[in-house]
């Protein structure tokens, strides 16, 4: 049976490379078009508060060239919501953001930020934008997500990806993700997953029934330097499709 899990290609790091020099190369819109043609089911970008990679202009230009949905990752704050409401992506994924971090280090603490999130989530849903919360695979976070009325979570696979290669860690972290999917399923919450996924470690995640979407960025852009973005995405799609559920 073909595994039809969706692949969101995160193209942030095309902009990281561009910003290392300024100017337009490599062009972010070109990356978005190649990703779409190579079979990406959606394009994901994270507009960070410090704009270290993609910015609003990128968001606007990517939206003007793609036909597939755009998933916008943002910190949960009113300034970022204003950007989302201006450009109306298919979905926003709320992520925790810390200016000093190199990448998104952990999931959102939904209970701790419940009141703030409640208002922001309502604002997005009122604007017909789908909402996802990026959380650790943790029961309490899923319960808080259910209480908030959010119907989709993206499970942070960073700890699993880091542990890959160390048998004990993989099993522990993989089981946490499987249990989280099960609990989410019981609450009718859809699951996506992402962070740190690559050709080697993606299959075990793609094989978990009821994960609907994977978001993959850094590895695909890195592999693309040697193999070309189209080939890297083709290969990732093939591995995902062949991952048995
Ligand atoms: N999903 C979310 C919510 C993220 O913040 C990131 C990193 O920007 C990813 C997925 C992709 O992670 P990676 O770049 O490690 O593939």
């Amino acid at each position: 049976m073909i595994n039809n899990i969706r692949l969101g290609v995160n193209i942030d790091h095309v902009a990281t490379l561009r910003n290392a020099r300024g100017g337009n190369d490599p062009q972010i819109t070109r990356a978005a078009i190649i990703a779409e043609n190579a079979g990406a089911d959606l394009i994901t970008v994270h507009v960070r508060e410090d704009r270290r990679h993609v910015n609003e202009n990128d968001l606007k230009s990517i939206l003007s060239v793609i036909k597939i949905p755009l998933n916008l990752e943002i910190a949960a704050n009113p300034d970022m919501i204003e950007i989302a409401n201006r450009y109306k992506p298919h979905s926003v994924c709320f992520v925790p953001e810390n200016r000093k971090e190199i990448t998104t280090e952990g999931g959102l603490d939904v209970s701790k930020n419940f009141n703030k999130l409640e208002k922001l989530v309502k604002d997005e849903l009122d604007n017909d934008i789908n909402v996802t919360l990026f959380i650790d695979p943790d029961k309490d976070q899923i319960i808080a997500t259910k209480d908030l009325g959010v119907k989709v979570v993206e499970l942070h696979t960073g700890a699993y990806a880091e542990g890959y290669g160390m048998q004990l860690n993989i099993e522990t972290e993989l089981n946490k993700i499987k249990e989280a999917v099960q609990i989410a399923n019981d609450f009718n919450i859809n699951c996506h997953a992402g962070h740190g996924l690559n050709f080697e470690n993606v299959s075990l995640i793609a094989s978990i029934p009821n994960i609907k979407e994977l978001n993959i960025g850094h590895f695909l852009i890195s592999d693309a330097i040697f193999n070309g973005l189209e080939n890297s995405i083709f290969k990732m799609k093939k591995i995902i499709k062949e991952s048995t559920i």
Side-chain angles (χ1 to χ4, degrees):
M1 195 171 83
I2 291 183
N3 187 326
N4 279 323
I5 200 163
R6 295 187 296 273
L7 173 63
V9 175
N10 180 318
I11 55 173
D12 289 346
H13 295 302
V14 173
T16 306
L17 187 55
R18 175 197 63 195
N19 294 355
R21 264 299 165 93
N24 283 328
D25 294 320
Q27 286 176 19
I28 193 97
T29 44
R30 188 168 170 197
I33 292 166
I34 291 173
E36 175 168 325
N37 290 339
D41 298 288
L42 59 143
I43 299 294
T44 294
V45 290
H46 184 176
V47 176
R48 280 185 167 264
E49 288 173 318
D50 63 8
R51 308 295 193 272
R52 68 175 74 157
H53 33 60
V54 290
N55 56 41
E56 292 93 315
N57 281 340
D58 294 326
L59 183 58
K60 189 175 171 189
S61 49
I62 294 166
L63 281 165
S64 73
V65 296
I66 60 172
K67 294 180 205 74
I68 52 178
L70 186 133
N71 173 40
L72 174 64
E73 295 173 0
I74 47 171
N77 74 44
D79 288 347
M80 302 314 290
I81 287 286
E82 204 184 300
I83 294 175
N85 290 345
R86 194 173 327 136
Y87 295 106
K88 296 212 183 299
H90 171 259
S91 53
V92 297
C93 178
F94 286 119
V95 298
E97 218 175 272
N98 161 6
R99 278 180 189 243
K100 293 206 187 89
E101 71 190 358
I102 294 174
T103 181
T104 318
E105 279 167 356
L108 273 177
D109 189 335
V110 183
S111 320
K112 199 167 148 201
N113 293 291
F114 195 90
N115 292 340
K116 180 171 85 168
L117 281 168
E118 194 169 35
K119 191 180 165 310
L120 300 177
V121 165
K122 183 175 180 313
D123 198 335
E124 291 311 83
L125 295 176
D126 287 351
N127 274 284
D128 288 329
I129 299 172
N130 300 297
V131 174
T132 306
L133 302 183
F134 186 49
I135 60 168
D136 288 328
D138 175 88
K139 185 176 181 185
D140 291 343
Q141 297 301 335
I142 297 170
I143 292 172
T145 301
K146 173 197 63 112
D147 293 344
L148 206 55
V150 171
K151 292 288 171 211
V152 189
V153 288
E154 179 169 332
L155 300 171
H156 198 313
T157 52
Y160 157 80
E162 270 171 33
Y164 200 86
M166 289 180 276
Q167 199 54 35
L168 192 67
N169 269 3
I170 304 190
E171 271 174 34
T172 314
E173 296 304 329
L174 195 62
N175 283 339
K176 281 188 202 164
I177 296 168
K178 286 182 181 167
E179 278 165 27
V181 173
Q182 188 66 52
I183 297 165
N185 218 34
D186 292 345
F187 292 140
N188 280 326
I189 293 174
N190 281 324
C191 288
H192 302 168
H195 213 281
L197 298 178
N198 59 31
F199 292 150
E200 264 183 74
N201 65 23
V202 73
S203 274
L204 289 176
I205 298 294
S207 299
I208 301 173
N210 291 320
I211 292 189
K212 312 271 186 224
E213 179 180 305
L214 300 177
N215 280 297
I216 308 182
H218 185 263
F219 174 80
L220 282 175
I221 304 306
S222 307
D223 189 71
I225 291 172
F226 304 110
N227 293 314
L229 186 56
E230 189 175 42
N231 292 325
S232 305
I233 295 171
F234 271 152
K235 185 166 172 185
M236 186 60 85
K237 281 286 290 190
K238 184 169 185 294
I239 295 171
I240 291 172
K241 275 191 187 142
E242 289 171 358
S243 303
T244 18
I245 314 172

